[in-house]
Amino acid sequence: MSEHVTHWIGGRAHEGPAGRTGDIYNPASGQVTGTVDLAGPDEVGAAVAAAAAAFPGWRDTSLSRRVQTLFRFRELLRANSDRLAALVSAEHGKVLSDARGEVARGLEVVDFACGIPHLLKGGYSENVSTGVDSYSILQPLGVVSGITPFNFPAMVPMWMFPVAIACGNTFVLKPSEKDPSASLLLAELWAEAGLPDGVFNVVHGDREAVDALLEHPDVAAVSFVGSTPIAGYVYRTAAEHGKRVQALGGAKNHMVVLPDADLDLAADSAVSAGFGSAGERCMAISAVAVVESVADDLLERIRERVARLRVGPGDDDRSEMGPLVTREHRDRVASYLESGVREGATLAVDGRIHPVLGGAPEGFWLGPSVLDHVGPRMSCYREEIFGPVLSMVRVGDYDEAVRLVNDNPYGNGTAIFTNDGGAARRFQNEIEVGMVGINVPVPVPMAYYSFGGWKQSLFGDSHAHGTEGVHFYTRTKTVTARWTDPGKRPEGGVNLGFPTNG
Ligand code: NAD
């Protein structure tokens, strides 16, 4: 055991409850490297109380001071980004370059949040009626909470808390218990940046902690990112308890390849987007819907590239793909290779026999696999695999590809590969998916746009960060005001009619 990870409440470490802990693994060695406290209602209650106590002071802190704190946090984050990436890689397993990319994308949301004074400007209308002005102001909600998944332990929390805190809210983060350490470094950096105690808190835990947050009367809003079944549960439970909620769920992202596409670009993209982070990305390409006439050619190009992929520990510079997050998850992902073949697919590349460079045999390894001739009824197509398995679905033409994507219950990301601008334009219009790439396989929006899917990939109506994030973390108040000169009262006296403007 190398570490014990505990909560961060009111600006300091907070342990408990006694005897309820989870193991933290190094996925490349398969060994337990630490333990994490799993909060119950008492720890969650303490975190919410600390956030509630900090709220009045933070809400009333001037925008200039809030922004100065954000800028200091941004600089500390930049200075510590390698440290943060190393923590992510050690507990998640992803390679260091990928972990650095995750930190960089989170940092972009902090950059965005530094512009909060502009984003919080309301509107003002002079003389909506004679001598009457009307204006709107955006106010924070209070204590807001973020519940996040294992696959981006730094970036996904940073989709949420920089914007929430910039808007004047206080925050309770419940990160994934599988890779909890990144969130504590973020908490320490906030403290060093001068954020008042209690504005940012972290409670670790599992369902018990989540339920305590969802039911707590002093939590005003919940942002969730994770799998679809849990997103649906969080959405319903939080709404039932009167909270504002956005819950981003799972994905099954299709890459459509038309016959006129640049097939080398398509093959590079399918391999990068399918196997980056071992396929444990909600924007990973999972299904390649390729028009039959170019399917064999594309498969050959993908196969060549996959054979050259270097799989190994995340902290080894040679590695391009690391292990999976847990043994159970690795076994579950591998089971789709068997069920796929049983249900009629062809195993074109078998990741179970891919060489692993320098990894311990007990590590949670599974190399990149490709299933060909996958059909929409197979479980490897219907279910989210969330691992390094690319499914090739052969289609007759563009229309069949679009039907396939639109019939799929998920709608997170998709991409089309073509050199036909008209087809691409039609695709962006017709496709029922929240984030669309055109010759771009992982179309993750920049921080100043919003991130979110459609259908079963998002419950609620606001996406993360961008102006939708500001909208989610604020509520609008509209003031109608009359100031008259002393002694110059408006005429009319008592009038029980509905107010009209004039
Ligand atoms: P998960 O749903 O298992 O866990 C997410 C969070 O919910 C964690 O904090 C976890 O502790 C908590 N949780 C787990 N089980 C729970 C339960 N029964 N009740 C209450 N809370 C529970 O997801 P994961 O395995 O950590 O992450 C992978 C999933 O997240 C994939 O489905 C992936 O597509 C999805 N994801 C989606 C996006 C997106 O933007 N749409 C981004 C990243 C990941």
Side-chain angles (χ1 to χ4, degrees):
M1 300 269 176
S2 58
E3 264 184 77
H4 177 67
V5 176
T6 192
H7 320 293
W8 182 270
I9 297 177
R12 58 195 59 82
H14 182 116
E15 303 222 342
R20 238 190 132 240
T21 58
D23 288 335
I24 306 169
Y25 286 87
N26 174 346
S29 69
Q31 302 302 312
V32 173
T33 56
T35 54
V36 56
D37 279 341
L38 302 176
D42 288 350
E43 291 71 29
V44 169
V48 175
F55 177 61
W58 183 243
R59 176 194 57 198
D60 291 339
T61 299
S62 73
L63 280 171
S64 307
R65 290 223 165 88
R66 272 191 235 159
V67 166
Q68 281 162 18
T69 310
L70 276 158
F71 269 111
R72 280 195 297 272
F73 177 68
R74 175 181 180 274
E75 286 317 303
L76 287 165
L77 196 52
R78 281 165 62 93
N80 286 278
S81 53
D82 280 349
R83 243 177 103 200
L84 191 58
L87 282 178
V88 169
S89 171
E91 293 180 356
H92 174 286
K94 64 177 74 175
V95 298
L96 269 173
S97 55
D98 193 30
R100 284 192 200 105
E102 145 165 21
V103 173
R105 293 310 297 258
L107 192 61
E108 287 169 6
V109 183
V110 182
D111 292 347
F112 170 76
C114 286
I116 200 69
H118 186 69
L119 296 158
L120 284 184
K121 286 195 292 195
Y124 197 109
S125 302
E126 194 179 38
N127 274 334
V128 293
S129 187
T130 308
V132 176
D133 302 334
S134 193
Y135 47 95
S136 62
I137 48 184
L138 299 177
Q139 295 195 321
L141 307 177
V143 179
V144 301
S145 165
I147 300 163
T148 53
F150 81 82
N151 67 321
F152 284 111
M155 182 186 78
V156 168
M158 283 197 276
W159 284 353
M160 304 171 180
F161 66 69
V163 180
I165 289 174
C167 289
N169 301 283
T170 54
F171 202 89
V172 179
L173 173 65
K174 206 303 286 171
S176 171
E177 65 278 31
K178 295 190 180 114
D179 41 18
S181 295
S183 60
L184 285 190
L185 178 54
L186 291 166
E188 283 166 21
L189 298 181
W190 269 125
E192 205 179 326
L195 191 74
D197 291 348
V199 176
F200 180 71
N201 308 276
V202 181
V203 282
H204 298 287
D206 51 17
R207 178 173 183 162
E208 204 173 313
V210 171
D211 283 344
L213 280 168
L214 300 182
E215 291 166 13
H216 200 297
D218 294 339
V219 173
V222 176
S223 298
F224 172 89
V225 177
S227 59
T228 288
I230 312 296
Y233 167 76
V234 166
Y235 183 68
R236 289 188 300 275
T237 313
E240 216 170 273
H241 286 84
K243 302 183 194 322
R244 185 177 287 197
V245 48
Q246 55 177 184
L248 282 66
K252 193 83 191 175
N253 304 315
H254 294 69
M255 170 170 162
V256 173
V257 183
L258 299 188
D260 66 353
D262 175 336
L263 290 188
D264 279 322
L265 176 66
D268 284 342
S269 301
V271 172
S272 310
F275 303 118
S277 204
E280 292 170 326
R281 288 183 187 144
C282 64
M283 289 293 274
I285 290 296
S286 162
V288 178
V290 54
V291 174
E292 179 67 59
S293 57
V294 292
D296 287 339
D297 193 350
L298 181 66
L299 176 61
E300 215 29 61
R301 291 173 205 235
I302 288 177
R303 224 202 291 252
E304 280 164 22
R305 286 159 172 82
V306 171
R308 292 198 300 266
L309 284 183
R310 293 187 306 273
V311 177
D315 60 359
D316 183 330
D317 282 346
R318 294 171 303 171
S319 306
E320 295 169 284
M321 190 184 116
L324 274 78
V325 68
T326 59
R327 184 176 291 113
E328 296 70 31
H329 186 55
R330 189 268 317 272
D331 294 346
R332 196 183 141 266
V333 172
S335 75
Y336 285 103
L337 303 177
E338 285 151 31
S339 71
V341 170
R342 219 171 33 243
E343 293 171 32
T346 315
L347 188 54
V349 180
D350 186 349
R352 293 169 297 192
I353 54 172
H354 196 97
V356 176
L357 302 171
E362 300 79 19
F364 311 140
W365 303 106
L366 180 63
S369 299
V370 181
L371 283 166
D372 191 14
H373 298 287
V374 169
R377 276 201 269 278
M378 297 179 189
S379 48
C380 62
Y381 177 79
R382 281 187 289 108
E383 292 163 25
E384 181 182 28
I385 299 178
F386 215 58
V389 180
L390 208 51
S391 296
M392 306 269 294
V393 185
R394 295 171 179 240
V395 292
D397 56 16
Y398 167 89
D399 289 318
E400 191 184 335
V402 168
R403 265 199 310 278
L404 185 77
V405 179
N406 285 351
D407 285 349
N408 194 282
Y410 295 104
N412 212 43
T414 188
I416 187 167
F417 280 73
T418 179
N419 278 316
D420 178 344
R425 190 170 184 279
R426 227 183 111 187
F427 186 78
Q428 76 182 30
N429 174 262
E430 294 176 343
I431 212 72
E432 291 178 22
V433 172
M435 294 171 282
V436 179
I438 296 174
N439 296 316
V440 172
V442 187
V444 174
M446 295 298 290
Y448 39 89
Y449 283 88
S450 297
F451 184 107
W454 287 15
K455 302 188 278 186
Q456 294 288 300
S457 295
L458 184 133
F459 300 85
D461 59 355
S462 333
H463 290 189
H465 62 69
T467 49
E468 294 206 22
V470 176
H471 176 72
F472 183 78
Y473 292 121
T474 55
R475 50 188 172 173
T476 305
K477 186 179 274 177
T478 307
V479 181
T480 305
R482 173 192 283 133
W483 290 98
T484 49
D485 290 340
K488 235 179 131 190
R489 283 186 47 232
E491 291 169 6
V494 172
N495 179 355
L496 300 192
F498 197 74
T500 53
N501 300 320

